[in-house]
Amino acid sequence: MNWDDPAERAALAERVGPTEYNRLFSEHLDASIVEWVAGHAIRPVGSRFGRLFTVGNTGYAFRLLTEAQDYARNHPKEEQ
């Protein structure tokens, strides 16, 4: 399954329904984490700009893992 392909994701959602799709997508997100830094999960994603590393749910992504790590360290996630 290519989670970066919208057509494949839509086909999966149609095939398994929303509840199972959400469960599978959540598993994928957890499995794709390469590192935790300052409370942020860092994981690679495919984009129109190529492979990027996202920093948790900050809305930021970087070309290099080291850039994502630096951003996370400088913006630690606050306890909720």
Side-chain angles (χ1 to χ4, degrees), residues 8-71:
E8 283 191 44
R9 289 174 64 168
L12 177 64
E14 287 291 323
R15 191 169 62 251
V16 301
T19 301
E20 179 64 4
Y21 173 86
N22 288 336
R23 187 189 70 76
L24 292 170
F25 188 61
S26 180
E27 280 183 1
H28 160 69
L29 291 178
D30 290 345
S32 67
I33 296 169
V34 294
E35 187 172 354
W36 285 89
V37 177
H40 297 286
I42 298 178
R43 60 184 191 83
V45 294
S47 77
R48 64 184 174 165
F49 305 108
R51 183 172 131 169
L52 299 174
F53 292 92
T54 64
V55 180
N57 61 356
T58 63
Y60 287 91
F62 300 88
R63 188 175 59 84
L64 300 175
L65 176 58
T66 54
E67 293 171 324
Q69 293 165 328
D70 289 344
Y71 180 85

